Each structure stands twice: as C-alpha cells, then as structure tokens.
Amino acid sequence: MKIYPSMLSANFCCLGEELRELNDADGIHWDVMDGHFVDKITFGADIIAAHREITSLPFDVHLMIDNPEKHIRTFAEAGADIITVHVESTNHIHKVLQDIKSFGKKSCIAINPGTSTDFLKYIDQDLLDSVLIMTVNPGQKGQRFLMSQIAKITKVQSLFIGDIGVDGGVSDETISNCEGISYAIAGSYIFDNDDYSEAIENLKLRNRLKSVFNP
C-alpha cells in the first residue's frame, strides 16, 4: 500500500521544507479547492509548479473544483503526474478523463460520501487508472473518518480492476479498516507527528497487520 501525504495539512509557511521531509512517502497529494465545489480556496497551479523541482515524488493533484475540464491542461503543465477529479463536479466525466490521458497523465475519479458507485458501470476503464473513495466530506482537514464508506471499497472492487484509494480521516487506527486498498491519502496524522517517516511507516504497518491476521 502506498501513502500520499496531503499538503493541505502541512505548514503553509514552509511548504518546501515540508516536502523535503517526506522522502519516505510514495507521492504527494495536492488539494486544489476553488471556493465553489467546496468552500475553501487553496493551492493553484503556480504553487504546484513552484514546488515541482523540490522532489521527484509523483504529484497527485486533486481538483475539488467545478468544471475541471477547463483546467486540465494548466495542472498537467504545472507538473501533475496524477489528476484526480470528482464525478460530481462535471457533466462530462468521460471527456475529462480523455483530456487527462491526452496529456500523458494518470487519471483518478474521486467519489464523495453520498455518491453511489453505479456510475463506474458506464466508464471506459481504459481511461481510468484509480478510484479515490472520500472517507470524509471534501473541503476541510481534520475530519473524522466515516466508517459508512468502508463498504464502498468492496463495491468499487466489483466494478473496477485498477487502484483504489481512500482519502480523509486516515490514521493508524482507521487504516486497519481499509482492506483491499492500493493507497491512502493522509494529512493530519502525518503532519501532526514529529517524525513524518515514522508516521508513514506506521500506516503501512497497520494496514499490513490487518491483512495478515484477516486473510
């Protein structure tokens, strides 16, 4: 299982320094918010581009924005390796996935807690690399993990053969409930820890132990 620290929980005064402390991560997760799809406004493409040279880790750019189809090129050119879009944010999710792939990037669809997985039946899976299950309501850091979303992991597995991730409220306690995932986005748990590498390893260890004792 891979761990992607969410920069939403990092110290905004020193994002570059924070990135340099995340060498043991498998990638970096950037939450882009527009004040419309979610209430907050956070990182833009210029911020992401400015930090691209600091690390070679993959950048997963999570577009919590309305009409993401207008901005795919911008974030692809800013240095995104993975572009995550919400199925709820556009009327043309299939076209958005085509656009992401046209720039040679990996594509991911995020699913809000209240959204059904049924739409996956109608997605051309050649266009989709991963599915991200939101285990909190998007837009705010530090929320409690929604146990109601655990059942979605199995549902997504039945409809999709690629990578499956979870995002929100991930800790060394909640990660043990997420059997079958390929990756997890973790924010507060990592950045509230004095040792980021230790926190990342703890998450992986707890997930592995769950798999060993519950084959």
Side-chain angles (χ1 to χ4, degrees):
M1 186 191 67
K2 296 181 178 180
I3 300 295
Y4 283 55
S6 171
M7 297 304 289
L8 183 64
S9 294
N11 185 340
F12 283 16
C13 290
C14 49
L15 290 176
E17 294 176 24
E18 294 280 61
L19 276 177
R20 292 184 180 93
E21 294 295 321
L22 294 170
N23 290 327
D24 289 327
D26 297 290
I28 303 297
H29 189 82
W30 294 93
D31 288 306
V32 175
M33 305 181 190
D34 64 357
H36 295 281
F37 184 71
V38 295
D39 290 340
K40 296 186 72 172
I41 298 174
T42 55
F43 312 110
D46 289 346
I47 295 294
I48 292 169
H51 290 85
R52 179 64 280 185
E53 65 183 38
I54 292 176
T55 177
S56 61
L57 289 172
F59 276 6
D60 174 14
V61 175
H62 183 178
L63 300 182
M64 298 185 191
I65 63 176
D66 285 330
N67 304 311
E69 57 270 20
K70 297 180 179 179
H71 305 281
I72 299 303
R73 175 185 289 274
T74 299
F75 285 98
E77 293 177 349
D81 299 288
I82 306 162
I83 299 180
T84 298
V85 294
H86 277 260
V87 67
E88 308 89 356
S89 68
T90 177
N91 292 324
H92 307 288
I93 189 64
H94 206 273
K95 176 61 165 61
V96 173
L97 296 177
Q98 288 178 322
D99 289 348
I100 294 170
K101 300 298 281 186
S102 75
F103 288 103
K105 308 302 181 179
K106 291 187 176 181
S107 63
C108 176
I109 290 180
I111 311 175
N112 280 347
T115 299
S116 169
T117 60
D118 288 346
F119 74 91
L120 285 168
K121 299 174 184 177
Y122 310 104
I123 295 293
D124 183 348
Q125 296 203 8
D126 289 341
L127 294 175
L128 185 60
D129 295 293
S130 58
V131 173
L132 182 62
I133 299 168
M134 297 301 298
T135 44
V136 298
N137 293 303
Q140 296 287 339
K141 65 180 181 180
Q143 296 181 68
R144 186 168 62 181
F145 185 97
L146 296 173
M147 294 298 294
S148 60
Q149 301 306 298
I150 294 299
K152 272 188 180 174
I153 296 174
T154 302
K155 289 182 180 179
V156 172
Q157 286 175 323
S158 70
L159 296 168
F160 176 66
I161 59 173
D163 291 335
I164 300 170
V166 295
D167 180 3
V170 171
S171 70
D172 58 344
E173 295 181 358
T174 59
I175 195 70
S176 62
N177 295 293
C178 300
E179 294 183 69
I181 63 170
S182 307
Y183 68 103
I185 312 302
S188 298
Y189 177 76
I190 292 174
F191 288 102
D192 289 348
N193 196 301
D194 291 334
D195 187 328
Y196 297 166
S197 295
E198 180 180 342
I200 291 168
E201 181 54 35
N202 284 344
L203 291 174
K204 293 184 177 184
L205 177 61
R206 288 298 293 269
N207 185 260
R208 287 198 300 267
L209 288 175
K210 181 70 173 182
S211 299
V212 168
F213 291 109
N214 293 275

